Amino acid sequence: MSVFIRHKLVEDQEGYILTLYLNPNLTEFSKEIGIAEDSGVVKDTGIVKDTGNVGILDKSIRSYISSHFPDIKVNAVKIMIGSILLTTLPFSGMVQDVSAATAPQTQAVQEAEQSIKIIIDGKQINFSQSPMVIDGKIYISIRGVTEALGGEIWWNGESKTVGINKGDIKIAFVVGDNKARVNGEQVSMEPSFITNGVTMVPLRFVAESLGMTVDWNQAEKTATLFSQPVTHQVKAGDTLFKLSQQYGISIDKLKSINNLSSDTIFVGQILKVKETVVPKPKEEASAETYTVKAGDSLWSIATKFGISVDALKKANQLTSDTIYAGQVLKLKADTTVQTPTDPQGNSVSYITYTIKSGDNMWELGNRYGIPMAELLQVNKMTVDSPLSIGQKILIPVYNIAVKERVSEKHGEYLDWWTEAQYVFPIGKVATVTDFQTGRRFQIKRTTGANHADSEPLTAKDAATIKEIWGGEYSWKERAVIVEVDGRKIAASMASMPHDVSYIKDNNFNGHFDLHFKNSTRHKDGLVSQAHQEQIKIAAGIIK
């Protein structure tokens, strides 16, 4: 990742003044050179220098000048972050050793200048910002690759959130983060970064999330992207050699995957131009047991099998989150345990739905208030399972019994995994009452699986939220009552906007966290005790 994202060179009487703009994503580097962040204010605390050695910032400046302006006399260097001037450095005494400094960031830029070819479905694509190879991974302009793949891109400047929409696929992530959301599900990704004002993203992550496959030819420095599946109908003038060049595949491979014994092909013939790879079957929650491996956690196992951490702990009578390699765990998804005989009075029934053109499991889950992972599991499907028009699937319908409340002021104490998420599903609008002040505002649950990621419905609602939290958005938890369809549920809310947002024009750049009984954090799948305490206050269990 580049230390400096851009520069400005101005000539003076004796030479040049160089202005360098620090990459704002390099927070660790900022700490090294003494730039501290406190309440959003950047403070200039000077430059760290090792005794008798050149400081980290000086080394980066030397490398930048050496690679960009080897024949220019630079008298002074100004260091900027955004519009803030951090420091001005005289440079006349530092030029003699410039050629000796080669920072890793400069090496990354030099690698980016190599000729890397990107071929998408047989067509070479050129980008305004050259692709980079860093630590063996290809990074590419997000706008360039998204538009080349037929998608649309959006950007939230305040939260630094980037989004990609293509058909039924929705991707969102924060620049610099190692997590992303694909159709609402959290996944890992190599962090993106900004260079020269362009957001660079890992090519493989974006391509595979959009249903492409990626082949990398190291010798030819060529990345080839294929749509799935890939076939070609032979036209007049086509030859195996021509097709091999067009699709980046050898003639021998073309003949092998099409069972050809000669080089003869004919007009109208359908040829495979990408070898079919049969994916390893995903582990499903229908398995009865799972043997813990090194590096496993309850969170990773629950995610793998599409069940909740709470269900996994209950099935194995675990009183903590500690597990060990070699331990055999029972797997029992907590999706249909509520039956008409449940002492809580909850029940679940099923309706049959016929797939129509344009349907997908993510939107069907939202429409019927059922998590996509549960909808897939009920129908013994995975995220890779195809849908066809006329296909019939089962959709659970939950009847969550009304629980007695301590008083009119308090809310029902509903478990997130078995109750609350069905009463307050994605897409639902609710009225929230702050338990302490009694002030009310409207929200909409827009995403979230571990808890309800929600957004203010309007700018007025956002303003009310800010006022309740003392004039500033905050991660501080507060007890709230969520009123939906005439029911009042005990919950806890933090007001800080972050990550992806879906509602426009509400003056709230991101979503906030809304927790219910036993709900968990996205980042680690653990219960937040601070939120749980506020929920108990809202339910009247504690004062």
Side-chain angles (χ1 to χ4, degrees), residues 401-429:
V402 177
K403 288 189 175 181
E404 185 177 352
R405 293 184 287 142
V406 171
S407 73
E408 181 60 28
K409 180 182 178 180
H410 295 89
E412 295 179 61
Y413 193 43
L414 299 185
D415 178 77
W416 169 251
W417 302 102
T418 61
E419 298 171 316
Q421 67 169 327
Y422 302 113
V423 178
F424 186 42
I426 290 175
K428 199 76 169 178
V429 173

Side-chain angles (χ1 to χ4, degrees), residues 428-448:
K428 199 76 169 178
V429 173
T431 298
V432 174
T433 302
D434 179 62
F435 191 80
Q436 182 179 350
T437 66
R439 299 195 62 182
R440 293 159 62 85
F441 52 90
Q442 284 195 299
I443 67 169
K444 182 177 183 179
R445 182 184 168 196
T446 52
T447 185

Side-chain angles (χ1 to χ4, degrees), residues 211-229:
M212 309 287 287
T213 58
V214 182
D215 285 340
W216 169 247
N217 187 319
Q218 176 64 28
E220 298 180 3
K221 294 281 191 292
T222 300
T224 305
L225 280 65
F226 296 93
S227 298
Q228 289 280 14

Side-chain angles (χ1 to χ4, degrees), residues 8-54:
K8 182 170 68 175
L9 195 65
V10 178
E11 187 174 7
D12 67 2
Q13 293 180 347
E14 301 296 327
Y16 288 85
I17 297 174
L18 175 64
T19 302
L20 296 175
Y21 292 83
L22 279 172
N23 190 330
N25 294 318
L26 294 173
T27 54
E28 292 303 318
F29 182 83
S30 298
K31 293 174 184 175
E32 288 289 333
I33 64 173
I35 304 167
E37 291 185 347
D38 182 17
S39 300
V41 179
V42 179
K43 298 179 179 179
D44 178 11
T45 58
I47 303 173
V48 174
K49 286 179 179 286
D50 300 323
T51 305
N53 295 312
V54 178

Side-chain angles (χ1 to χ4, degrees), residues 282-298:
K282 294 190 177 183
E283 295 173 278
E284 299 180 4
S286 57
E288 294 183 356
T289 61
Y290 174 79
T291 302
V292 178
K293 302 178 179 64
D296 278 343
S297 66
L298 288 181

Side-chain angles (χ1 to χ4, degrees), residues 149-160:
L149 294 175
E152 297 178 348
I153 190 168
W154 56 266
W155 164 254
N156 184 321
E158 289 197 24
S159 62
K160 291 187 179 178

